[in-house]
Amino acid sequence: MEYEVVTLQEKIAVGVSARTNNMSPDMEAVIGGLWKRFYNEGIYASIPEKTNAKSLGIYTCYKGDDKSDYTAMAACETAAEPAEGEYSVCRIPAGRYAKFIVHGDMVQAVASAWQEIWQMNLPRAFQCDFEEYQDDCMDNAEIHIYVGLKESSAAESRCGILCSECAYREQMNCAGCVHIQKPFWGDSCPVKSCCEEKPQEHCGNCENFPCALLNQFAYDEKQGDNGKRIEQCKVWKG
């Protein structure tokens, strides 16, 4: 799936919420029940200071696996937290998000998109993800899905490997290829050499990204990471 990395300001969301997890047999019923309550019980209509007519499906407080519980929320964006009322309130954190645009059946299109997103090697923060429904067309809706990403202000490597997560960092006293002339495993690295000859800070800034050389390393059966470093380069590029 195609996406772009965007930076969002903090948002205040107000609505109704419940706890569930992706492996729970009643997960769909729980989330569907939230939306019924949100609209059928007049909660949406009663929320003050809405900033727009869009609705939000928000998922917070989870650990990144299908078995861990998270808070699901049906909500809308507001200018301020309500002074009173039996609402759930969430502050969608400012930061970087992978933004996906989905079109189609409001339920099926979102479900299919999330199935693909969970299979992607995104550097997810697992703090807050949300759906933003642009309209109320059930058959051909436009939905923007925002997936929270880990913050990383500077490139740690040329190819997208996160040196901070590398098992060899302390073992080999490696400062990362951005800070050393040659890698500890040999005289040179073709990806590092290519990137520095351009010169580029990391591969994501190259006009040929992702090139055949980077793909070769990223998807190597023994040393690759199934494309995770390519997704990280996209995050660094912003």
Side-chain angles (χ1 to χ4, degrees):
M1 290 179 66
E2 295 295 323
Y3 66 90
E4 62 173 323
V5 177
V6 298
T7 300
L8 301 181
Q9 300 299 313
E10 182 183 71
K11 297 177 183 288
I12 300 173
V14 178
V16 291
S17 65
R19 295 287 287 177
T20 186
N21 70 66
N22 290 342
M23 298 301 291
S24 174
D26 65 349
M27 182 266 290
E28 292 184 2
V30 169
I31 296 177
L34 288 175
W35 287 108
K36 289 180 180 178
R37 286 180 56 201
F38 188 58
Y39 285 110
N40 296 349
E41 296 181 12
I43 294 174
Y44 171 80
S46 70
I47 295 174
E49 297 189 75
K50 300 181 189 68
T51 60
N52 54 59
K54 302 172 185 178
S55 57
L56 305 173
I58 308 170
Y59 311 97
T60 60
C61 303
Y62 51 7
K63 299 177 182 178
D65 60 73
D66 285 343
K67 297 179 181 179
S68 63
D69 284 356
Y70 57 86
T71 298
M73 187 173 179
C76 57
E77 185 179 351
T78 64
E81 294 188 17
E84 57 183 23
E86 297 182 0
Y87 307 116
S88 294
V89 178
C90 169
R91 286 185 175 267
I92 297 174
R96 286 178 143 194
Y97 291 79
K99 177 184 177 181
F100 300 82
I101 298 178
V102 178
H103 295 91
D105 179 88
M106 189 175 285
V107 176
Q108 296 301 322
V110 170
S112 297
W114 276 114
Q115 288 179 357
E116 290 192 50
I117 290 169
W118 275 95
Q119 299 303 313
M120 296 175 69
N121 286 312
L122 291 170
R124 296 176 62 181
F126 292 109
Q127 182 180 7
C128 179
D129 303 328
F130 66 99
E131 303 145 2
E132 184 181 65
Y133 294 84
Q134 306 300 302
D135 52 59
D136 58 0
C137 179
M138 291 297 298
D139 297 329
N140 189 27
E142 178 175 328
I143 307 103
H144 298 176
I145 299 178
Y146 294 86
V147 179
L149 302 174
K150 293 179 181 178
E151 291 295 333
S152 184
S153 58
E156 297 182 18
S157 68
R158 301 304 184 197
C159 69
I161 287 178
L162 287 174
C163 298
S164 56
E165 298 180 1
C166 179
Y168 296 102
R169 184 180 185 183
E170 293 186 6
Q171 180 182 342
M172 303 304 297
N173 193 28
C174 178
C177 70
V178 173
H179 306 289
I180 57 179
Q181 290 188 342
K182 66 177 184 178
F184 64 82
W185 61 87
D187 291 333
S188 65
C189 168
V191 177
K192 172 179 167 65
S193 298
C194 175
C195 195
E196 293 173 354
E197 287 170 3
K198 296 288 185 177
Q200 297 290 352
E201 182 185 15
H202 59 81
C203 291
N205 289 335
C206 180
E207 62 181 8
N208 297 320
F209 171 81
C211 68
L213 178 62
L214 182 60
N215 274 304
Q216 177 185 341
F217 275 76
Y219 293 99
D220 181 79
E221 291 185 3
K222 294 182 178 180
Q223 303 297 327
D225 53 15
N226 197 32
K228 183 177 179 180
R229 70 190 69 185
I230 292 176
E231 301 305 323
Q232 183 59 54
C233 281
K234 292 180 182 178
V235 173
W236 286 337
K237 183 177 180 180

